[in-house]
Amino acid sequence: MAMIKSRKHAQTRFHQHMSAALAAMLLPVAAHAADTPNDAADQAKPQTMQEVQVNGSRENDFKAERASSAKYTEKLVDTAQTLTVIKKELIEQQGATTLTEALRNTPGVGAFFLGENGSTNTGDAIYMRGFDASSSIYVDGVRDIGSISRDTFNIEQIDVLKGPAGTDNGRSSPTGSINLVSKQPQLENAYLGSATYGSGKQRRATADINTVIDADSGTAFRLNLLDQDSENPGRDFVKAKRWGVAPSVAFGLNSPTRVYLNYFHVKQDNIPDGGVLTIGLPGWTPPPDIAAVPATATSPAKPAKSFAFMAGAAPVDPKNFYGSVLDHDNVKADMATVKVEHDFANGAKLVNTSRWGKTKQDYLLTSFMATNANLAANVAGSDPSTWTMLRTNLTTKDQQNEILTNQTTVTADFVTGALKHTVVGGVELTNEKQINYTYANTAPAATAGLPPTSIYHPNPNTPISSAQVNLQRNGGRTEGTTNTQSVYAFDTVKFGEQWIFNGGVRVDHYNTSYNAITVQAVTTPQTIPVGTLVGSSIEAGDNLVNGKLSALYKPTQNSSVYALVASSKAPPGSANFALSTAANSAANPKFDPQETTNYEVGSKWDLLGQKLSFAGALFRTEVKNEVEQDPVDAKYYQTGKKRVQGVELSVTGEILPKWLISAGYVHQSTSVESGKVVTASGENQLSYTPKQSFTAWTSYTLPFGLQIGGGARFSDKLARGTDGAVGTPAYADSYWVFDAMAAYPINKHVDLRLNVYNLGDKDYVQAINKSGYRYTPGTPRSASLTANFKF
């Protein structure tokens, strides 16, 4: 596989900072060497070999032995696919409170894409290996729809599956899926809590209460609580305010039949972040001049506008907030789950999961683009503090998502001759709905737009009267519904002690109906549109067949070498339940599903008494049936093809007693094999996909209880998409970020943890939008102090 070219000096910078990252990872070595001489002598004695003997569970705070899904019956070391498990202990050490923050523990996965032009993505807008994976997020194996930011307060672990997951979940992202595993009641009394205060007025409290109601019958109750009211250490006015409650009760935990009843409720009242201007960043140039327009019989003359005076403009303060007092992101999510497990006498197991979920989002963002039309006609040489910009777009989202599903899975073992089989079969019935309501600005002065704001000193508190903005539903809406009936089967075949073969197939029958109700006529800007509401309806349905096949060889009991081929399909409208009759839309039901094929070869090793895992894989993902326009006849065809290939390495677990590590590296080459180049720079690669990514976190506990740790993250340059914008950065630069942590137990009930983020106070671009006018700044140096309680 050929190495890809990178930005000038990127490789040099990467290797320079890699040494610093390794130094940070090896920080606990010095602490380990600082043990007392008696400790060192004790370690030299032969009996210390017992430290790496296997006694009971081989898991530790970082290393998981298995994935959560019933479809994966083997240990991770014997699973023929890249599958990362992020445990709650690692999440807690880092002080990660959201899914996006927790996913920093797997390389090349993150919220890199800010949004289209004036619009901004909401919630967990996750990219993975070149493609948007936001619609492939699951909770306990059930799709979790709705563009919200997910909290970690009720999360036991996160499973990140890389490569097509069509056989596991049906329609999905071409390059993987993310499954959040909820906390469940246990047969032990435990009362945990935490309180955090940090930079940016971060205030957060959680509680995790587990009570055994009846040990004989195996009945237990668990309650997880959250309350947070935090600002942002790097952004003015941005706010994350939410509270949540997650009660659950379990019956029969010590019996063959177990029943779990879970409820989840969270409410968010946030102030969203639309990003900041890219003015002054590398690659930015003044916008093109506007020529004078002479007067006509119907319009007045327009003077010429020149922007040469902006050459050399300084970057804006990353803390600037360009929104308004109107901005809000209010979310309410509810989820009720009933899960039944039964172990049969012959070793078979049945799992039935029923789920109802509903998410409502009311969102308004005052967005902006610093185009030549929106920049004020300032005089050359004027004071930059007087430069102003129009905020031309009020982005709204009034969306409701609902899901009702039932999944039944049966696992059974049997033997045929020399072959040992583990078969998993199941049926899934799902109904998903999404409604979006549209708005109109009915204010008398709506055509005048919002008051302009300063480029370098924006004031979000500038008064906005009801004469300027009065948003109301105008009667228009879109409604999308998808019904899916699925059957699937997996067979894991063991031949002797060294060969494991796995095959799986899934068949989904789906039907999507889409209704769009629009306002056909509008009276005047001073009144609510009262024109005729016109509805259009589109339906699409088909069968999707996906499969996977793998062969795995075990050189030793705790290692494996494997090869895998797997597929995934996504029909038109599968991500947002929206169909279209537009010829250039991939949501047009006349097109076939997007098809993905993944090839992977790799090796996994459990080392040091199975306390440390190492994995490496070479992968190639090919995506076809992308909708492209033919340059000759200007018609649209499904001839587009994209490719992602590379290598991924990871190490997780315990190096030495009390020394833990989680690290990963990915190098990926992306290309458009057929169709238009998708990056603004003109490079043949996929947008929002860093070529190289590295992440590491390590911690060590000293003999007297002090735990120290730290981490490093590297992200290569980030190419943005292309939409014809001129003078904006074509990509975001690469960056390194370093974090640190120290924790100490005050007594057996209380411990304190200090987290410091971005030690070097590095300025970097975390995400950039498609036009390149806006970006999300990375969090500057900040800190948080957490008190953890346990009884």
Side-chain angles (χ1 to χ4, degrees), residues 71 141-143 169 171 352-356 402-409 426-432 482-488 506-510:
K71 298 163 188 172
V142 178
R143 191 185 307 274
N169 304 313
R171 70 180 197 276
N352 179 271
T353 302
S354 299
R355 162 88 46 86
W356 169 85
E402 190 170 357
I403 185 170
L404 182 64
T405 186
N406 181 269
Q407 301 176 351
T408 301
T409 301
V427 177
E428 181 176 336
L429 307 174
T430 304
N431 173 268
E432 300 165 272
T482 297
N483 288 300
T484 309
Q485 302 86 42
S486 310
V487 294
Y488 51 86
R506 180 182 179 115
V507 180
D508 297 283
H509 175 74
Y510 75 92

mmCIF file of all heavy atoms in Angstrom, residues 71 141-143 169 171 352-356 402-409 426-432 482-488 506-510:
data_model
loop_
_atom_site.group_PDB
_atom_site.id
_atom_site.type_symbol
_atom_site.label_atom_id
_atom_site.label_comp_id
_atom_site.label_asym_id
_atom_site.label_seq_id
_atom_site.Cartn_x
_atom_site.Cartn_y
_atom_site.Cartn_z
ATOM 1 N N LYS A 71 -24.271 -10.640 19.036
ATOM 2 C CA LYS A 71 -23.858 -11.137 17.727
ATOM 3 C C LYS A 71 -22.364 -11.427 17.670
ATOM 4 O O LYS A 71 -21.888 -12.030 16.706
ATOM 5 C CB LYS A 71 -24.246 -10.121 16.653
ATOM 6 C CG LYS A 71 -25.754 -9.895 16.585
ATOM 7 C CD LYS A 71 -26.113 -8.643 15.838
ATOM 8 C CE LYS A 71 -27.608 -8.351 15.954
ATOM 9 N NZ LYS A 71 -27.974 -7.035 15.398
ATOM 10 N N GLY A 141 -27.699 -1.683 21.292
ATOM 11 C CA GLY A 141 -28.005 -2.388 20.057
ATOM 12 C C GLY A 141 -29.195 -1.873 19.285
ATOM 13 O O GLY A 141 -29.521 -2.413 18.229
ATOM 14 N N VAL A 142 -29.844 -0.805 19.761
ATOM 15 C CA VAL A 142 -30.997 -0.218 19.075
ATOM 16 C C VAL A 142 -30.616 1.153 18.560
ATOM 17 O O VAL A 142 -30.020 1.955 19.283
ATOM 18 C CB VAL A 142 -32.207 -0.106 20.024
ATOM 19 C CG1 VAL A 142 -33.390 0.558 19.321
ATOM 20 C CG2 VAL A 142 -32.607 -1.491 20.532
ATOM 21 N N ARG A 143 -30.977 1.434 17.308
ATOM 22 C CA ARG A 143 -30.614 2.705 16.705
ATOM 23 C C ARG A 143 -31.162 3.863 17.543
ATOM 24 O O ARG A 143 -32.321 3.869 17.967
ATOM 25 C CB ARG A 143 -31.176 2.789 15.282
ATOM 26 C CG ARG A 143 -30.615 3.981 14.475
ATOM 27 C CD ARG A 143 -31.299 4.071 13.116
ATOM 28 N NE ARG A 143 -31.234 2.819 12.386
ATOM 29 C CZ ARG A 143 -30.219 2.450 11.610
ATOM 30 N NH1 ARG A 143 -29.178 3.260 11.490
ATOM 31 N NH2 ARG A 143 -30.237 1.305 10.965
ATOM 32 N N ASN A 169 -26.436 -4.457 11.827
ATOM 33 C CA ASN A 169 -27.465 -3.479 12.160
ATOM 34 C C ASN A 169 -28.393 -3.109 11.016
ATOM 35 O O ASN A 169 -29.292 -2.288 11.202
ATOM 36 C CB ASN A 169 -26.801 -2.199 12.669
ATOM 37 C CG ASN A 169 -25.874 -2.444 13.842
ATOM 38 O OD1 ASN A 169 -26.230 -3.132 14.785
ATOM 39 N ND2 ASN A 169 -24.663 -1.909 13.772
ATOM 40 N N ARG A 171 -29.208 -1.081 7.565
ATOM 41 C CA ARG A 171 -28.685 0.107 6.890
ATOM 42 C C ARG A 171 -27.799 0.884 7.868
ATOM 43 O O ARG A 171 -28.125 1.066 9.039
ATOM 44 C CB ARG A 171 -29.831 0.985 6.395
ATOM 45 C CG ARG A 171 -30.597 1.677 7.496
ATOM 46 C CD ARG A 171 -31.719 2.545 6.930
ATOM 47 N NE ARG A 171 -32.193 3.509 7.900
ATOM 48 C CZ ARG A 171 -33.096 3.261 8.838
ATOM 49 N NH1 ARG A 171 -33.617 2.044 8.914
ATOM 50 N NH2 ARG A 171 -33.464 4.203 9.674
ATOM 51 N N ASN A 352 -34.615 -10.888 24.253
ATOM 52 C CA ASN A 352 -35.657 -10.111 23.584
ATOM 53 C C ASN A 352 -35.623 -8.683 24.129
ATOM 54 O O ASN A 352 -35.678 -8.466 25.344
ATOM 55 C CB ASN A 352 -37.036 -10.729 23.807
ATOM 56 C CG ASN A 352 -38.139 -9.927 23.136
ATOM 57 O OD1 ASN A 352 -38.704 -9.009 23.717
ATOM 58 N ND2 ASN A 352 -38.429 -10.268 21.885
ATOM 59 N N THR A 353 -35.525 -7.705 23.225
ATOM 60 C CA THR A 353 -35.443 -6.301 23.608
ATOM 61 C C THR A 353 -36.557 -5.521 22.920
ATOM 62 O O THR A 353 -36.706 -5.595 21.690
ATOM 63 C CB THR A 353 -34.083 -5.692 23.213
ATOM 64 O OG1 THR A 353 -33.037 -6.430 23.842
ATOM 65 C CG2 THR A 353 -33.998 -4.239 23.649
ATOM 66 N N SER A 354 -37.332 -4.794 23.718
ATOM 67 C CA SER A 354 -38.361 -3.898 23.190
ATOM 68 C C SER A 354 -38.003 -2.479 23.601
ATOM 69 O O SER A 354 -37.626 -2.228 24.754
ATOM 70 C CB SER A 354 -39.745 -4.266 23.732
ATOM 71 O OG SER A 354 -40.098 -5.578 23.358
ATOM 72 N N ARG A 355 -38.147 -1.543 22.680
ATOM 73 C CA ARG A 355 -37.751 -0.164 22.970
ATOM 74 C C ARG A 355 -38.721 0.814 22.325
ATOM 75 O O ARG A 355 -39.131 0.656 21.171
ATOM 76 C CB ARG A 355 -36.338 0.062 22.418
ATOM 77 C CG ARG A 355 -35.878 1.504 22.212
ATOM 78 C CD ARG A 355 -35.245 2.145 23.395
ATOM 79 N NE ARG A 355 -34.261 1.334 24.061
ATOM 80 C CZ ARG A 355 -32.960 1.268 23.716
ATOM 81 N NH1 ARG A 355 -32.513 1.957 22.700
ATOM 82 N NH2 ARG A 355 -32.124 0.521 24.407
ATOM 83 N N TRP A 356 -39.094 1.815 23.121
ATOM 84 C CA TRP A 356 -39.776 3.002 22.591
ATOM 85 C C TRP A 356 -38.920 4.204 22.945
ATOM 86 O O TRP A 356 -38.476 4.361 24.084
ATOM 87 C CB TRP A 356 -41.165 3.176 23.198
ATOM 88 C CG TRP A 356 -41.777 4.521 22.884
ATOM 89 C CD1 TRP A 356 -42.469 4.866 21.759
ATOM 90 C CD2 TRP A 356 -41.721 5.703 23.703
ATOM 91 N NE1 TRP A 356 -42.858 6.182 21.812
ATOM 92 C CE2 TRP A 356 -42.404 6.730 22.995
ATOM 93 C CE3 TRP A 356 -41.159 6.001 24.933
ATOM 94 C CZ2 TRP A 356 -42.547 8.021 23.502
ATOM 95 C CZ3 TRP A 356 -41.279 7.291 25.444
ATOM 96 C CH2 TRP A 356 -41.976 8.286 24.727
ATOM 97 N N GLU A 402 -38.974 9.451 16.566
ATOM 98 C CA GLU A 402 -39.595 8.426 17.393
ATOM 99 C C GLU A 402 -39.253 7.053 16.835
ATOM 100 O O GLU A 402 -39.174 6.869 15.614
ATOM 101 C CB GLU A 402 -41.123 8.613 17.432
ATOM 102 C CG GLU A 402 -41.839 7.745 18.450
ATOM 103 C CD GLU A 402 -43.291 8.145 18.625
ATOM 104 O OE1 GLU A 402 -43.719 9.136 17.990
ATOM 105 O OE2 GLU A 402 -44.000 7.472 19.394
ATOM 106 N N ILE A 403 -39.010 6.114 17.733
ATOM 107 C CA ILE A 403 -38.686 4.752 17.311
ATOM 108 C C ILE A 403 -39.435 3.760 18.189
ATOM 109 O O ILE A 403 -39.598 3.962 19.397
ATOM 110 C CB ILE A 403 -37.162 4.486 17.377
ATOM 111 C CG1 ILE A 403 -36.835 3.101 16.813
ATOM 112 C CG2 ILE A 403 -36.637 4.643 18.801
ATOM 113 C CD1 ILE A 403 -35.348 2.854 16.609
ATOM 114 N N LEU A 404 -39.914 2.687 17.570
ATOM 115 C CA LEU A 404 -40.558 1.575 18.263
ATOM 116 C C LEU A 404 -39.985 0.301 17.647
ATOM 117 O O LEU A 404 -40.087 0.101 16.431
ATOM 118 C CB LEU A 404 -42.071 1.617 18.106
ATOM 119 C CG LEU A 404 -42.868 0.521 18.823
ATOM 120 C CD1 LEU A 404 -42.701 0.636 20.333
ATOM 121 C CD2 LEU A 404 -44.344 0.602 18.442
ATOM 122 N N THR A 405 -39.382 -0.545 18.490
ATOM 123 C CA THR A 405 -38.706 -1.709 17.927
ATOM 124 C C THR A 405 -38.802 -2.901 18.858
ATOM 125 O O THR A 405 -38.974 -2.750 20.087
ATOM 126 C CB THR A 405 -37.219 -1.394 17.651
ATOM 127 O OG1 THR A 405 -36.608 -2.495 16.968
ATOM 128 C CG2 THR A 405 -36.474 -1.143 18.947
ATOM 129 N N ASN A 406 -38.681 -4.083 18.276
ATOM 130 C CA ASN A 406 -38.574 -5.324 19.035
ATOM 131 C C ASN A 406 -37.529 -6.197 18.359
ATOM 132 O O ASN A 406 -37.593 -6.448 17.150
ATOM 133 C CB ASN A 406 -39.910 -6.065 19.114
ATOM 134 C CG ASN A 406 -39.795 -7.349 19.921
ATOM 135 O OD1 ASN A 406 -39.528 -8.415 19.391
ATOM 136 N ND2 ASN A 406 -39.995 -7.226 21.232
ATOM 137 N N GLN A 407 -36.566 -6.656 19.156
ATOM 138 C CA GLN A 407 -35.498 -7.517 18.652
ATOM 139 C C GLN A 407 -35.503 -8.826 19.437
ATOM 140 O O GLN A 407 -35.584 -8.829 20.665
ATOM 141 C CB GLN A 407 -34.128 -6.855 18.814
ATOM 142 C CG GLN A 407 -33.967 -5.527 18.113
ATOM 143 C CD GLN A 407 -32.611 -4.895 18.404
ATOM 144 O OE1 GLN A 407 -31.862 -5.363 19.255
ATOM 145 N NE2 GLN A 407 -32.296 -3.823 17.689
ATOM 146 N N THR A 408 -35.410 -9.935 18.733
ATOM 147 C CA THR A 408 -35.314 -11.244 19.363
ATOM 148 C C THR A 408 -34.095 -11.968 18.800
ATOM 149 O O THR A 408 -33.975 -12.125 17.579
ATOM 150 C CB THR A 408 -36.571 -12.089 19.122
ATOM 151 O OG1 THR A 408 -37.710 -11.401 19.636
ATOM 152 C CG2 THR A 408 -36.448 -13.439 19.811
ATOM 153 N N THR A 409 -33.188 -12.382 19.697
ATOM 154 C CA THR A 409 -31.961 -13.053 19.284
ATOM 155 C C THR A 409 -31.808 -14.346 20.068
ATOM 156 O O THR A 409 -32.003 -14.365 21.294
ATOM 157 C CB THR A 409 -30.734 -12.162 19.521
ATOM 158 O OG1 THR A 409 -30.879 -10.953 18.785
ATOM 159 C CG2 THR A 409 -29.462 -12.866 19.082
ATOM 160 N N GLY A 426 -31.781 -14.135 14.562
ATOM 161 C CA GLY A 426 -32.701 -13.190 15.152
ATOM 162 C C GLY A 426 -33.656 -12.551 14.175
ATOM 163 O O GLY A 426 -33.525 -12.668 12.951
ATOM 164 N N VAL A 427 -34.647 -11.886 14.760
ATOM 165 C CA VAL A 427 -35.662 -11.143 14.014
ATOM 166 C C VAL A 427 -35.774 -9.762 14.635
ATOM 167 O O VAL A 427 -35.724 -9.616 15.868
ATOM 168 C CB VAL A 427 -37.033 -11.864 14.083
ATOM 169 C CG1 VAL A 427 -38.102 -11.038 13.375
ATOM 170 C CG2 VAL A 427 -36.943 -13.256 13.487
ATOM 171 N N GLU A 428 -35.924 -8.752 13.795
ATOM 172 C CA GLU A 428 -36.046 -7.373 14.279
ATOM 173 C C GLU A 428 -37.163 -6.675 13.520
ATOM 174 O O GLU A 428 -37.202 -6.706 12.276
ATOM 175 C CB GLU A 428 -34.726 -6.622 14.084
ATOM 176 C CG GLU A 428 -34.748 -5.193 14.590
ATOM 177 C CD GLU A 428 -33.393 -4.519 14.463
ATOM 178 O OE1 GLU A 428 -32.367 -5.233 14.434
ATOM 179 O OE2 GLU A 428 -33.357 -3.275 14.388
ATOM 180 N N LEU A 429 -38.076 -6.039 14.259
ATOM 181 C CA LEU A 429 -39.182 -5.268 13.689
ATOM 182 C C LEU A 429 -39.061 -3.841 14.203
ATOM 183 O O LEU A 429 -39.047 -3.618 15.421
ATOM 184 C CB LEU A 429 -40.535 -5.863 14.091
ATOM 185 C CG LEU A 429 -40.734 -7.359 13.793
ATOM 186 C CD1 LEU A 429 -42.057 -7.832 14.385
ATOM 187 C CD2 LEU A 429 -40.683 -7.625 12.292
ATOM 188 N N THR A 430 -38.988 -2.877 13.296
ATOM 189 C CA THR A 430 -38.714 -1.494 13.705
ATOM 190 C C THR A 430 -39.581 -0.515 12.928
ATOM 191 O O THR A 430 -39.760 -0.656 11.706
ATOM 192 C CB THR A 430 -37.233 -1.132 13.481
ATOM 193 O OG1 THR A 430 -36.409 -2.063 14.185
ATOM 194 C CG2 THR A 430 -36.930 0.267 13.984
ATOM 195 N N ASN A 431 -40.100 0.474 13.653
ATOM 196 C CA ASN A 431 -40.805 1.598 13.049
ATOM 197 C C ASN A 431 -40.111 2.878 13.494
ATOM 198 O O ASN A 431 -39.968 3.132 14.693
ATOM 199 C CB ASN A 431 -42.269 1.618 13.465
ATOM 200 C CG ASN A 431 -42.997 2.873 12.988
ATOM 201 O OD1 ASN A 431 -43.060 3.872 13.703
ATOM 202 N ND2 ASN A 431 -43.530 2.823 11.772
ATOM 203 N N GLU A 432 -39.659 3.704 12.545
ATOM 204 C CA GLU A 432 -38.964 4.955 12.844
ATOM 205 C C GLU A 432 -39.677 6.115 12.152
ATOM 206 O O GLU A 432 -40.083 5.999 10.984
ATOM 207 C CB GLU A 432 -37.515 4.886 12.367
ATOM 208 C CG GLU A 432 -36.702 3.780 13.019
ATOM 209 C CD GLU A 432 -35.409 3.501 12.285
ATOM 210 O OE1 GLU A 432 -35.440 2.672 11.353
ATOM 211 O OE2 GLU A 432 -34.388 4.120 12.622
ATOM 212 N N THR A 482 -40.061 5.054 8.286
ATOM 213 C CA THR A 482 -39.450 3.848 7.730
ATOM 214 C C THR A 482 -39.832 2.647 8.576
ATOM 215 O O THR A 482 -39.612 2.647 9.797
ATOM 216 C CB THR A 482 -37.918 3.967 7.668
ATOM 217 O OG1 THR A 482 -37.554 5.034 6.795
ATOM 218 C CG2 THR A 482 -37.296 2.675 7.152
ATOM 219 N N ASN A 483 -40.435 1.658 7.950
ATOM 220 C CA ASN A 483 -40.744 0.389 8.606
ATOM 221 C C ASN A 483 -39.777 -0.668 8.076
ATOM 222 O O ASN A 483 -39.585 -0.793 6.855
ATOM 223 C CB ASN A 483 -42.181 -0.039 8.319
ATOM 224 C CG ASN A 483 -43.186 0.822 9.043
ATOM 225 O OD1 ASN A 483 -43.198 0.899 10.267
ATOM 226 N ND2 ASN A 483 -44.047 1.500 8.285
ATOM 227 N N THR A 484 -39.180 -1.421 9.002
ATOM 228 C CA THR A 484 -38.183 -2.410 8.612
ATOM 229 C C THR A 484 -38.467 -3.737 9.301
ATOM 230 O O THR A 484 -38.731 -3.775 10.506
ATOM 231 C CB THR A 484 -36.762 -1.943 8.984
ATOM 232 O OG1 THR A 484 -36.545 -0.623 8.483
ATOM 233 C CG2 THR A 484 -35.726 -2.879 8.401
ATOM 234 N N GLN A 485 -38.430 -4.819 8.517
ATOM 235 C CA GLN A 485 -38.513 -6.170 9.056
ATOM 236 C C GLN A 485 -37.221 -6.889 8.669
ATOM 237 O O GLN A 485 -36.865 -6.927 7.479
ATOM 238 C CB GLN A 485 -39.719 -6.924 8.505
ATOM 239 C CG GLN A 485 -41.069 -6.244 8.776
ATOM 240 C CD GLN A 485 -41.425 -5.209 7.728
ATOM 241 O OE1 GLN A 485 -41.230 -5.431 6.528
ATOM 242 N NE2 GLN A 485 -41.955 -4.071 8.155
ATOM 243 N N SER A 486 -36.537 -7.407 9.669
ATOM 244 C CA SER A 486 -35.205 -7.956 9.430
ATOM 245 C C SER A 486 -35.079 -9.352 10.009
ATOM 246 O O SER A 486 -35.632 -9.664 11.067
ATOM 247 C CB SER A 486 -34.137 -7.056 10.067
ATOM 248 O OG SER A 486 -34.307 -5.706 9.699
ATOM 249 N N VAL A 487 -34.300 -10.188 9.320
ATOM 250 C CA VAL A 487 -33.876 -11.482 9.843
ATOM 251 C C VAL A 487 -32.371 -11.598 9.618
ATOM 252 O O VAL A 487 -31.844 -11.082 8.629
ATOM 253 C CB VAL A 487 -34.607 -12.654 9.164
ATOM 254 C CG1 VAL A 487 -36.083 -12.636 9.498
ATOM 255 C CG2 VAL A 487 -34.404 -12.626 7.646
ATOM 256 N N TYR A 488 -31.697 -12.246 10.547
ATOM 257 C CA TYR A 488 -30.244 -12.368 10.424
ATOM 258 C C TYR A 488 -29.785 -13.664 11.067
ATOM 259 O O TYR A 488 -30.456 -14.239 11.939
ATOM 260 C CB TYR A 488 -29.526 -11.178 11.049
ATOM 261 C CG TYR A 488 -29.962 -10.855 12.468
ATOM 262 C CD1 TYR A 488 -29.392 -11.493 13.560
ATOM 263 C CD2 TYR A 488 -30.954 -9.910 12.699
ATOM 264 C CE1 TYR A 488 -29.799 -11.195 14.850
ATOM 265 C CE2 TYR A 488 -31.365 -9.601 13.988
ATOM 266 C CZ TYR A 488 -30.783 -10.244 15.056
ATOM 267 O OH TYR A 488 -31.194 -9.959 16.330
ATOM 268 N N ARG A 506 -27.741 -10.929 6.632
ATOM 269 C CA ARG A 506 -28.904 -10.200 7.139
ATOM 270 C C ARG A 506 -29.739 -9.747 5.955
ATOM 271 O O ARG A 506 -29.211 -9.218 4.961
ATOM 272 C CB ARG A 506 -28.468 -8.988 7.963
ATOM 273 C CG ARG A 506 -29.651 -8.178 8.524
ATOM 274 C CD ARG A 506 -29.164 -6.970 9.297
ATOM 275 N NE ARG A 506 -30.271 -6.174 9.818
ATOM 276 C CZ ARG A 506 -30.543 -6.000 11.105
ATOM 277 N NH1 ARG A 506 -29.775 -6.579 12.016
ATOM 278 N NH2 ARG A 506 -31.557 -5.259 11.485
ATOM 279 N N VAL A 507 -31.061 -9.912 6.094
ATOM 280 C CA VAL A 507 -32.006 -9.463 5.071
ATOM 281 C C VAL A 507 -32.955 -8.460 5.716
ATOM 282 O O VAL A 507 -33.590 -8.762 6.725
ATOM 283 C CB VAL A 507 -32.799 -10.638 4.471
ATOM 284 C CG1 VAL A 507 -33.775 -10.131 3.414
ATOM 285 C CG2 VAL A 507 -31.854 -11.679 3.868
ATOM 286 N N ASP A 508 -33.008 -7.264 5.154
ATOM 287 C CA ASP A 508 -33.906 -6.216 5.628
ATOM 288 C C ASP A 508 -34.921 -5.894 4.541
ATOM 289 O O ASP A 508 -34.537 -5.624 3.391
ATOM 290 C CB ASP A 508 -33.131 -4.936 5.953
ATOM 291 C CG ASP A 508 -32.130 -5.121 7.067
ATOM 292 O OD1 ASP A 508 -32.557 -5.152 8.226
ATOM 293 O OD2 ASP A 508 -30.923 -5.231 6.772
ATOM 294 N N HIS A 509 -36.176 -5.915 4.908
ATOM 295 C CA HIS A 509 -37.212 -5.400 4.017
ATOM 296 C C HIS A 509 -37.677 -4.070 4.597
ATOM 297 O O HIS A 509 -38.180 -4.016 5.717
ATOM 298 C CB HIS A 509 -38.399 -6.352 3.898
ATOM 299 C CG HIS A 509 -39.513 -5.777 3.078
ATOM 300 N ND1 HIS A 509 -39.454 -5.672 1.698
ATOM 301 C CD2 HIS A 509 -40.715 -5.237 3.436
ATOM 302 C CE1 HIS A 509 -40.560 -5.100 1.248
ATOM 303 N NE2 HIS A 509 -41.344 -4.824 2.273
ATOM 304 N N TYR A 510 -37.484 -3.005 3.840
ATOM 305 C CA TYR A 510 -37.829 -1.677 4.352
ATOM 306 C C TYR A 510 -38.851 -1.006 3.441
ATOM 307 O O TYR A 510 -38.955 -1.303 2.245
ATOM 308 C CB TYR A 510 -36.571 -0.804 4.455
ATOM 309 C CG TYR A 510 -36.068 -0.297 3.116
ATOM 310 C CD1 TYR A 510 -36.483 0.931 2.609
ATOM 311 C CD2 TYR A 510 -35.199 -1.068 2.351
ATOM 312 C CE1 TYR A 510 -36.035 1.381 1.375
ATOM 313 C CE2 TYR A 510 -34.747 -0.619 1.119
ATOM 314 C CZ TYR A 510 -35.170 0.607 0.633
ATOM 315 O OH TYR A 510 -34.738 1.043 -0.590
#
